[in-house]
Amino acid sequence: MNAPDKGARSFAGVSYEDALARARDLVPALRERAARAEQAREMPAETIADLHASGLLRSLQPKRRGGMELDFVAYVDFPLELARGCASTGWNFANLQVHHWMLALYDERAQEEVWGPDPDALIASGIAFPQGRGRKAQGGFVIGGRWNFSSCVNVAEWNMLAVTVKDGERVVDHRMCLLHKSQYEVVDDWHVLGMRSTGSMTVVARDVFVPEHKALCMYNVRGGDTFPGARTNRNAVYQIPANPLLGHGIGACAVGNAQAALDLTIDAVKQRSTNYTGAKMRDFQAVQLRIGAAGSKIDAARLMLRNDAIEGQEFANRKIMADPLAKLRMKRNLAYAVNLCTEAVDLLHAMAGANGIYESYPLERIFRDAHSLAGHFSFSLDAQGSAWGLAALGGEVSNPTL
């Protein structure tokens, strides 16, 4: 039970540096496939195969299951790199990567049910607790609901669905319930402006019984070792507080997407002259200033997200419980970082002038993806910034999973 199946691939010996190099090596192929993936509204089969072969999807999976078991900063760095090639692929990867991390928090029986037959199993999620309803039943919970934005659900075998458990009208628990794809319906409603190949469709479940060991209590994953999986997965990486950091990987996709915009713009400006005067674009101070400003915003966003992940790892390493203000600061930083990246993409896209409206222009999809992903609630600076501000001013923030 404690080792990967004999036929399964093990990536337990892969270092962070080697894994990061594998992510970077995939960028050209992802960039070449991006338009086709967008048209199909799903990750290409060859991309999924590449991600499996590289082992990157299992970078946060326990070594005892054949994963790399790397430090949590991998959850920022790897999606960021992949998003330089395709923001949708980076986004899906971030979700699939961190769900291996989350499964390590579950009871060992749930881990065995998923990883025993297939350590490469893909797991999607529906993270909005109000969209799921549940009630206690003997040995577990009966749940139902309708969760939208369930990224990569069209390729995943499993799903972690957020459920608010009530006793009558009183909220008594918050659980992440692990369901097999045979237990829910996927509604193909993902016809959107950007991030089209994430396949973030709607999931519907009706009166499904979920045993206790497959329903993770979110009050036990706020930091420390009170979660069921701690009995077997003892690495400090699994003791990081979940709520404030689970969005940092998808946030990193905004950084990678913006970095792609910067790289492509620099390449274009080096070669481009104006249509009417023939002057070289690179000689315009306004162009230089925009590139400098965009680069600063992207670098600042990268540093903020990486620092939060490193700080969360350090809390776990030192067995320190982060206080609510520190956790809210991380959520605020995430929203601010993504906003910086949207601003950077807008600066760069505006430089294209009328050329920027063509689908063939390299930044057209990047622009749509930047604004589409920025709509995620975790990236609302109004919501996350005000929550931190309220706590900093001595107010009480109501968030039971924090």
Side-chain angles (χ1 to χ4, degrees), residues 333-398:
N333 288 351
L334 169 61
Y336 190 69
V338 172
N339 275 258
L340 285 175
C341 292
T342 308
E343 293 172 3
V345 170
D346 286 351
L347 276 172
L348 298 168
H349 184 264
M351 289 170 54
N355 290 318
I357 67 174
Y358 287 98
E359 289 184 354
S360 59
Y361 189 74
L363 264 66
E364 189 267 347
R365 183 184 64 256
I366 289 174
F367 176 83
R368 287 188 288 103
D369 285 347
H371 284 271
S372 298
L373 69 85
H376 195 285
F377 177 74
S378 297
F379 307 151
S380 168
L381 193 54
D382 288 342
Q384 309 305 341
S386 63
W388 180 85
L390 173 61
L393 293 169
E396 184 176 345
V397 176
S398 177

Side-chain angles (χ1 to χ4, degrees), residues 10 31 35 37 40 84 87 91 118 128 136 148 163 199 221 232-233 236 262 266 294 301:
S10 176
R31 189 168 291 174
R84 290 175 49 235
W91 183 279
D118 183 11
K136 289 186 176 180
N148 56 2
V163 171
V221 296
T232 50
N233 300 319
L262 180 62
I266 289 173

Side-chain angles (χ1 to χ4, degrees), residues 6-138:
K6 290 181 180 179
R9 294 169 289 190
S10 176
F11 301 96
V14 178
S15 69
Y16 165 87
E17 290 77 13
D18 188 14
L20 185 61
R22 296 181 187 190
R24 288 175 175 159
D25 288 344
L26 288 176
V27 170
L30 298 181
R31 189 168 291 174
E32 186 275 326
R33 297 169 189 160
R36 177 161 47 93
E38 183 176 60
Q39 211 168 29
R41 297 187 301 122
E42 64 180 13
M43 286 196 300
E46 56 265 46
T47 293
I48 297 174
D50 285 344
L51 293 173
H52 278 311
S54 70
L56 292 169
L57 288 167
R58 296 167 63 186
S59 51
L60 295 176
Q61 185 187 49
K63 286 185 177 181
R64 54 191 288 275
R65 291 291 183 175
M68 299 180 193
E69 203 171 293
L70 300 178
D71 283 354
F72 201 73
V73 73
Y75 180 48
V76 170
D77 290 347
F78 297 175
L80 191 158
E81 288 297 329
L82 296 173
R84 290 175 49 235
C86 171
S88 289
T89 297
W91 183 279
N92 274 357
F93 170 82
N95 280 283
L96 297 170
Q97 176 196 32
V98 85
H99 294 155
H100 277 304
W101 178 84
M102 285 189 68
L103 185 58
L105 311 182
Y106 280 72
D107 186 286
E108 174 65 20
R109 288 170 290 175
Q111 297 175 46
E112 176 61 20
E113 189 168 338
V114 177
W115 286 332
D118 183 11
D120 286 316
L122 302 181
I123 309 168
S125 69
I127 64 170
F129 284 97
Q131 293 182 337
R133 62 188 181 278
R135 57 179 172 82
K136 289 186 176 180
Q138 185 174 359

